[in-house]
Amino acid sequence: RAYKKMKLLFQILTIALLFMTTSCCDILCERQEHAQLIIEKVEKFKQNKGRLPKNVTEIGLNDTQMHLSFYQLTSDTTYMVWYGLSLGESKIYRSETKKWTEEG
């Protein structure tokens, strides 16, 4: 029974991933996906090391993709990730609220 549930969950996730990769092809989607990758890696790092990374190189990302989205520590226990939407406007994720906001 648990196997069937896991198999169904895997199928749903696979379909969702395929949908996201085919429908998300512009630069804003690429920025959003990169930002989400940073968040996932930061949270995993925090879980494993008990602290937040100082920069993206500590989570295995290199600086060559930093034009897509950005990571910044805001304190010892909080961080933000953001990317540009248009000139002067950004979409910002704050770890303390775990929510995205648009600012600019």
Side-chain angles (χ1 to χ4, degrees):
R1 189 173 190 172
Y3 173 76
K4 286 184 180 182
K5 285 183 181 180
M6 290 298 290
K7 186 176 177 183
L8 178 61
L9 179 62
F10 178 75
Q11 290 171 339
I12 291 170
L13 290 174
T14 302
I15 291 168
L17 181 62
L18 287 172
F19 177 76
M20 286 174 49
T21 57
T22 58
S23 66
C24 205
C25 58
D26 64 359
I27 188 66
L28 287 180
C29 283
E30 188 177 3
R31 290 175 180 171
Q32 173 70 38
E33 289 171 358
H34 187 258
Q36 197 61 46
L37 176 66
I38 291 173
I39 293 165
E40 290 168 12
K41 287 184 171 278
V42 166
E43 291 298 329
K44 188 171 188 173
F45 183 96
K46 182 180 171 185
Q47 187 178 29
N48 292 336
K49 305 270 186 179
R51 67 174 180 87
L52 292 171
K54 294 177 179 122
N55 53 49
V56 295
T57 57
E58 277 197 279
I59 56 174
L61 298 177
N62 60 36
D63 292 338
T64 61
Q65 290 186 309
M66 285 310 295
H67 66 284
L68 295 173
S69 55
F70 305 90
Y71 166 79
Q72 180 181 346
L73 283 173
T74 51
S75 76
D76 288 341
T77 58
T78 61
Y79 66 93
M80 58 190 258
V81 174
W82 76 96
Y83 61 93
L85 295 172
S86 62
L87 186 59
E89 291 191 15
S90 298
K91 194 160 185 182
I92 302 170
Y93 174 86
R94 288 183 168 65
S95 65
E96 62 270 21
T97 62
K98 299 201 182 309
K99 292 184 180 178
W100 287 95
T101 57
E102 290 186 19
E103 298 180 21

